[in-house]
Amino acid sequence: MSPSGLLRGACRTTLISLLLVCCLLPPGAQGQKFPLRVEPQNPVLPAGGSFLVNCSTDCPNPKLITLETSLPKKPVGNGLGWAAFQLSSVTSDSQVLCSGFCDGFQMTASSDITVYRFPERVELAPLPRWQPVGENLTLRCQVAGGAPRTNLTVVLLRGEEELSRQPAVGEPAEATVTVLAGRDDHLANFSCRTELDLRSRGLGLFQNSSAPRQLRTFALPVTPPHLVVPRLLEVGTTWSVNCTLDRLFPASEAQVQLALGNQMLNPAVESHGDTITATATVTASAEQEGAREIVCNLTLGSDSREARENLTIYRFWGPILNLSESSASEGTKVTVTCAAGARVQVTLDGVPAAAPGQPAQLQLIATERDDRRNFSCNATLEVDREILHRNRSAQLRVLYGPKIDQAKCPQRLTWKDRTTNVLRCQARGNPDPELHCFQEGSQNEVPVGIPFTVMLNYSGTYSCRAVSSRGTYTVTVVMNVQGEPKRGCGCRWATHAGRVRVFILLASLHRSECPCCHHCHGGVSDPGVGDYHCGLSVRLRVAEEE
């Protein structure tokens, strides 16, 4: 309220009346010798502020100095040639008018009040969640409030880099700028700020900034991922599925999903540079048998790429190769069966079964020749125009008694004394027999199949016996060891008839052994001509000297 108690509308009426009076005065009356002054002149104030206005003049006899304004005012003092008023609640631009009289002439002076206020809202419009690299991005900044607008500027920023500077126009004011998004813009902060520049009015530069918004850019090639899967997969087996895509950015942000039909897989995802690879392990189950599809879906930003590959899951049971007796006695009937699952064609030792899914079979009477005989079972299955093969084999063991092949075991051997020889004799049978050769009479054993030194006393007849749990087989071998005769052992004598007789050493365990005549036949002085055995180790011959 003004001191005069007039309402704000009344003050406005008075101000208009004064202006009319001023305008209706003759021109000479306006040429005041003593002008009226308003202080401060054209002030700039914050919205809602208050300030002191002083109306003054140098007129020696001033009258009725007053202030006309639409603002709430309060007289705070006056004196000769001046009057002061406190104005409050300054919320908008306005004008104040000082008036008075000097020597009957009216004096007037005015001052323009400029109100400044900071923007109520400075906001950068939300950015796309993902922005494709190489496409235009438009930044929008809205500013609500702020005055005076002629001093208000809107600045759009990337980080601290200034992208655009525009005056604030309209309410709310909107400033836009379009930029080309690149890889360098990924995770960059964008914002806008206002600048209220009142430095020309004696104040400062006032800035208000929006909250920053972070941009995420991405690049995704138009080509689909490279999906590597097996074309065929057997029930119960495990295989790796790989999905790879190159030239995407940022690869670490990509999301990959792998699915086998309706079954979601759990891939391990790795990224290196601009390449991403997802690997999952697939285990085929019986419920999934048949044609299936594996899908790799890769999502980055607001876009995705997909690859699909077909997979056939099959069941290949067998083949099973069965022998009624894997170890059969000689003469036993043995049945061999080769079988596999449905739709599988089997072949037993080259003979196919009657039809797919049917077993193949053969029977035999086990003989020695069938021992260690191998049987082969082959199975084939066609899956998705591809022929699959599997094989099984089994060996038959036939139990039979020991035998010695006489063609490989000579019955007569003639060797030289003190030479190295091998008694080559082989026995066969199942179980494997043990073969031993013993000299008849002495029961001395000679080795079989390994080298040994032959002595004169090895001469004789030997029984070579092959023995196993299924029986014994015997072959007779005669060994003749020939030695060099030794003459002149110091045993010479004359008979009653005047003939000279000598001992000839035919066989001895020791080369140095040379027995005298009395060693044989109880010391008979004149044994007859012939061969004599002196124990087991010495053989002598008595002969007449020519």
Side-chain angles (χ1 to χ4, degrees), residues 36 59 64 96 155 165 189 208 223 280 319 333 424 435 522 541:
L36 191 62
C59 177
L64 299 174
V96 294
V155 183
R165 177 180 290 270
N189 287 321
N208 286 67
T223 55
K333 184 170 76 172
R424 302 188 183 279
L435 179 59
R541 175 172 294 173

Side-chain angles (χ1 to χ4, degrees), residues 199-402:
R199 289 173 291 185
S200 62
R201 308 293 293 272
L203 299 176
L205 177 66
F206 303 97
Q207 296 179 337
N208 286 67
S209 295
S210 70
R213 294 189 185 275
Q214 191 176 69
L215 181 66
R216 302 170 79 184
T217 63
F218 74 98
L220 193 61
V222 296
T223 55
H226 181 57
L227 181 58
V228 179
V229 302
R231 197 168 67 86
L232 305 176
L233 190 61
E234 186 178 2
V235 170
T237 60
T238 298
W239 203 269
S240 290
V241 175
N242 293 295
C243 183
T244 304
L245 185 62
D246 299 323
R247 297 182 295 108
L248 72 164
F249 171 84
S252 59
E253 297 281 348
Q255 302 294 319
V256 183
Q257 286 185 333
L258 281 170
L260 171 59
N262 295 327
Q263 177 190 354
M264 297 302 297
L265 306 179
N266 186 25
V269 181
E270 294 183 352
S271 60
H272 300 282
D274 288 351
T275 300
I276 190 168
T277 301
T279 303
T281 300
V282 176
T283 300
S285 64
E287 295 77 12
Q288 295 170 321
E289 186 175 358
R292 291 289 182 268
E293 188 177 56
I294 289 187
V295 180
C296 175
N297 183 279
L298 189 148
T299 302
L300 179 60
S302 56
D303 209 349
S304 64
R305 299 289 181 268
E306 188 173 88
R308 295 173 177 265
E309 291 291 342
N310 293 326
L311 167 69
T312 299
I313 296 177
Y314 66 94
R315 188 198 302 266
F316 194 164
W317 178 79
I320 302 298
L321 181 57
N322 180 63
L323 278 67
S324 60
E325 292 188 54
S326 60
S327 182
S329 296
E330 192 173 19
T332 303
K333 184 170 76 172
V334 177
T335 301
V336 183
T337 304
C338 173
R343 302 187 299 112
V344 180
Q345 177 69 52
V346 296
T347 302
L348 177 58
D349 275 3
V351 179
Q358 297 296 316
Q361 194 175 80
L362 64 84
Q363 292 181 334
L364 58 94
I365 302 300
T367 66
E368 174 189 342
R369 296 180 60 183
D370 293 318
D371 186 35
R372 299 184 186 276
R373 177 177 173 180
N374 289 313
F375 296 91
S376 175
C377 175
N378 176 264
T380 59
L381 175 66
E382 182 177 354
V383 180
D384 194 19
R385 302 182 303 280
E386 184 171 335
I387 303 299
L388 305 179
H389 297 270
R390 281 193 180 166
N391 295 286
R392 291 290 184 272
S393 62
Q395 188 179 76
L396 174 64
R397 295 306 309 270
V398 178
L399 303 174
Y400 62 96

Side-chain angles (χ1 to χ4, degrees), residues 172-188:
E174 182 175 275
T176 64
V177 66
T178 299
V179 296
L180 189 65
R183 289 193 176 196
D184 293 341
D185 293 321
H186 183 59
L187 301 182

Side-chain angles (χ1 to χ4, degrees), residues 96-243:
V96 294
L97 179 68
C98 288
S99 65
F101 291 91
C102 179
D103 297 331
F105 294 97
Q106 186 177 28
M107 301 176 296
T108 61
S110 64
S111 177
D112 294 322
I113 302 172
T114 301
V115 173
Y116 72 90
R117 56 170 55 86
F118 303 135
E120 300 168 5
R121 178 172 59 88
V122 179
E123 182 179 14
L124 184 68
L127 302 178
R129 186 171 181 271
W130 287 94
Q131 174 68 24
V133 170
E135 294 188 10
N136 287 332
L137 171 68
T138 299
L139 303 173
R140 301 180 184 277
C141 182
Q142 284 195 340
V143 178
R149 283 297 179 90
T150 55
N151 298 79
L152 187 62
T153 302
V154 183
V155 183
L156 291 156
L157 304 163
R158 178 199 287 115
E160 295 299 321
E161 177 191 0
E162 188 173 305
L163 301 176
S164 174
R165 177 180 290 270
Q166 304 172 29
V169 178
E171 182 58 44
E174 182 175 275
T176 64
V177 66
T178 299
V179 296
L180 189 65
R183 289 193 176 196
D184 293 341
D185 293 321
H186 183 59
L187 301 182
N189 287 321
F190 290 82
S191 63
C192 63
R193 72 168 179 250
T194 58
E195 295 181 354
L196 184 60
D197 191 356
L198 299 177
R199 289 173 291 185
S200 62
R201 308 293 293 272
L203 299 176
L205 177 66
F206 303 97
Q207 296 179 337
N208 286 67
S209 295
S210 70
R213 294 189 185 275
Q214 191 176 69
L215 181 66
R216 302 170 79 184
T217 63
F218 74 98
L220 193 61
V222 296
T223 55
H226 181 57
L227 181 58
V228 179
V229 302
R231 197 168 67 86
L232 305 176
L233 190 61
E234 186 178 2
V235 170
T237 60
T238 298
W239 203 269
S240 290
V241 175
N242 293 295
C243 183

